[in-house]
Amino acid sequence: MVEWTGKPAYQQVAEDLRRRIAADEFTKTGGKLPSLAELQDHYVVTPTVARDAIRQLKADGLAVSHQGKGAFLTPDSVAAAKLADPSAAVAELRDELHKLRTEVGELRQRVASLEGN
């Protein structure tokens, strides 16, 4: 999974985890992130790379860890991860703008029908 991009492997893993967090992928697990062994298998990386990726997420305020239990998302991690990913933030803003335009159009029609009576 990790490719030669000029970025350290742990940053690539952390970025992909951030993307997955923003996509709300870990709600099914109660906010529990994959174990270090699962990260190693999934990304084909060393234990050090997996540990450093989790350490990066913790430094960014997206995760906390509990000895013997694993790493878990912080309460606002999904929103924070979305903000960290500009393309996800733009997509979310576009969705909100579309909803607002639809609601404003509906309100205009209702006002017009009330004024017409």
Side-chain angles (χ1 to χ4, degrees), residues 6 9-10 12 14 16 21 26 29-30 34 37 45 50-51 56 58 71 77 84 89-90 96 99 106 108 114:
Y10 80 92
Q12 293 179 53
D16 190 60
I21 291 167
F26 299 109
T29 61
V45 295
R51 192 173 9 266
Q56 181 66 54
K58 287 168 46 180
S77 61
V90 168
E96 286 298 315
K99 289 177 190 174
E106 290 171 0
R108 282 184 180 150
L114 290 172

Side-chain angles (χ1 to χ4, degrees), residues 28-39:
K28 297 174 203 140
T29 61
K32 187 176 189 310
L33 293 171
S35 68
L36 293 178
E38 291 169 332
L39 291 174

